[in-house]
DNA sequence: TCAAAAGTGTTAGCGCTACACCCATGA
DNA sequence: TCATGGGTGTAGCGCTAACACTTTTGA
């Protein structure tokens, strides 16, 4: 029996919060198909390469985010036959959550607001993949400590709260939020230092703790 | 640039509750590699076939579960280079949750208890895939109405509770469970009929409602 | 002195846990 | 009549939402 073979790519949904907006790393296509459209950074997998290794390699090569500790997890695999008009390509999407970093110096690689991207024409099924990644991120903020992956190494409770508010698109009560996250076991580690970079009374600076789960969860307010 | 191509398979983690145990559908291998080991039912994807379509086809061809309404969702993709000793094979795993059905009439296809399978040698990385599927199912019972996918078309609250108890491996309080699931919006639809098949006072028969989320969630008791 | 943001206290209400208790059947 | 499981009531408690209030800074 002959076994059909397909081309396999890894595509990256890399999200961050910058300029008060949830943003994703995009690659501007400069050739057909989809010339001029945005796409997700990605590329073909090597024959001797594990999937997470390929994701890290492409994060460095295509996204310009080498040697940066970024949370990376597998999102889903997309493989309907006509998603690439040239040939059968199956794509394993990875979701990355990053602090607000300068991306690649290439003009082709840009952070762009998710709200804009979903209103624009995208290459292939990348709008769908982006939407799935955003929804995964929104859901995971509820019951994991991943929100801190959007923050720099040291951050205040208010900065962490802004991450939740921007990713979810809902305001949260600053006082209840503060009690909740500072009370959660191993979510935050106090550094002892303070900052006034947000104005007002000085705020404690925290680092990420080693908790992965958030129990009880921080539930999104329902509309 | 030449694009490397890989063989792509779909593997199925099909779970059910039967004889008081969480069980999975297995395929007994009768050739090398891994001759005599259990494996997950699966097979190569066709070149013109979408991934969920391949999963449904293999559910019929390999698992003997054709034309059965079974919940099927993508689980994850496994692709480290040596997982198949013969050639590079990347596998997209799907998770299926089924009521207690007779599987294929082939002797090669068997329902087997998960507890036994994880103690035995499995083909390829199928033990790992099975474990991931079981963990996904356990987690989804908490915040979705998927437990009913393990039940026949009509079932009692106690039968639904047994699903939770067996999948999670923890006893639940029958009275609180009853209040919780009958109070949840659109989780269950009363048929008006009753049954005494479990002994004691007649129990209401229910059908699945159209709710997908369970809010608030049914949290596993913590040890 | 004022505005702004950090952080604490307080209260009402909801949902969960634990268990007492009653109900309806088969044997 | 008894055993068995179905189903309801209820008290206590932890968590949450809502918001009043105090603290500490920069301007």
């Amino acid at each position: 029996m002959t076994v059909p073979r397909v081309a396999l790519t890894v595509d990256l949904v890399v999200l961050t919060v910058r300029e008060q907006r949830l943003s994703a790393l995009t690659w501007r296509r400069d050739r057909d198909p989809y010339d001029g459209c945005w796409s997700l950074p990605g590329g073909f997998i090597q024959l001797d390469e594990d999937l997470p290794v390929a994701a890290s390699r492409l994060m460095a090569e295509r996204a310009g985010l080498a040697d940066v500790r970024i949370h990376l997890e597998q999102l889903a695999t997309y493989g309907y036959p006509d998603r690439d008009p040239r040939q059968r390509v199956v794509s394993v999407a990875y979701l990355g959550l990053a602090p607000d970093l300068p991306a690649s110096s290439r003009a082709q690689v840009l952070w762009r607001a998710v709200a804009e991207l979903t209103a624009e024409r995208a290459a292939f099924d990348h709008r769908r993949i982006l939407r799935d990644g955003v929804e995964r991120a929104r859901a995971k903020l509820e019951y994991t400590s991943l929100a801190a992956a959007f923050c720099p190494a040291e951050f205040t409770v208010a900065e962490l709260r802004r991450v939740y508010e921007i990713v979810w698109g809902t305001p949260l009560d600053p006082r209840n939020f503060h009690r909740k996250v500072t009370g959660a076991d191993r979510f935050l580690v106090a550094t002892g230092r303070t900052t006034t970079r947000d104005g007002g009374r000085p705020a404690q600076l925290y680092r990420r703790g080693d908790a992965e789960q958030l129990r009880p969860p921080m539930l999104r307010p329902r509309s």
Side-chain angles (χ1 to χ4, degrees), chain A:
Chain A
M1 162 182 166
T2 74
V3 170
R5 286 189 167 71
V6 301
L8 192 65
T9 62
V10 166
D11 285 324
L12 301 172
V13 179
V14 188
L15 301 179
T16 196
V17 172
R18 63 197 316 259
E19 295 167 3
Q20 311 294 322
R21 312 186 74 176
L22 179 63
S23 302
L25 208 57
T26 59
W27 174 275
R28 179 147 218 97
R29 285 186 65 82
D30 56 3
R31 65 189 64 172
D32 273 328
Y34 299 104
D35 187 18
C37 294
W38 68 267
S39 72
L40 296 172
F44 290 100
I45 194 172
Q46 315 281 3
L47 267 182
D48 59 348
E49 198 179 38
D50 193 4
L51 299 174
V53 171
S56 296
R57 173 177 61 80
L58 291 161
M59 192 73 101
E61 287 179 16
R62 292 306 188 98
L65 298 173
D67 304 321
V68 188
R69 185 191 21 52
I70 286 178
H71 171 87
L72 252 190
E73 66 180 52
Q74 199 185 100
L75 178 58
T77 299
Y78 300 82
Y80 62 89
D82 299 324
R83 55 186 294 280
D84 187 317
R86 295 163 297 183
Q87 60 176 328
R88 179 88 197 253
V89 176
V90 172
S91 176
V92 182
Y94 273 77
L95 174 65
L97 306 187
D100 184 6
L101 293 166
S104 165
S105 45
R106 299 201 217 192
Q108 202 167 20
V109 176
L110 274 182
W111 289 113
R112 297 196 53 203
V114 166
E116 282 176 20
L117 294 171
T118 52
E120 253 178 50
R121 193 166 118 93
F124 314 109
D125 51 357
H126 287 191
R127 189 160 68 172
R128 159 84 189 284
I129 299 177
L130 174 64
R131 201 172 348 131
D132 290 350
V134 168
E135 187 42 44
R136 168 84 65 91
R138 285 186 175 138
K140 285 205 113 175
L141 291 205
E142 291 197 296
Y143 56 92
T144 72
S145 58
L146 275 182
F150 284 118
C151 294
E154 300 201 348
F155 53 90
T156 67
V157 171
E159 287 160 2
L160 182 65
R161 175 167 50 82
R162 250 154 253 144
V163 165
Y164 277 91
E165 292 178 330
I166 290 168
V167 175
W168 285 348
T170 17
L172 298 175
D173 185 294
R175 298 150 299 182
N176 293 333
F177 182 87
H178 185 280
R179 220 192 327 265
K180 175 107 185 176
V181 296
T182 53
D185 192 37
R186 296 158 162 278
F187 188 2
L188 301 181
V189 178
T191 63
R193 281 190 298 287
T194 61
T195 180
T196 57
R197 64 192 179 211
D198 298 326
R201 168 173 165 182
Q204 282 281 333
L205 279 167
Y206 293 89
R207 263 198 290 273
R208 287 161 247 213
D210 58 5
E212 302 202 333
Q213 300 298 308
L214 197 57
R215 299 188 40 83
M218 169 102 54
L219 296 174
R220 286 178 257 197
R222 294 284 148 177
S223 53

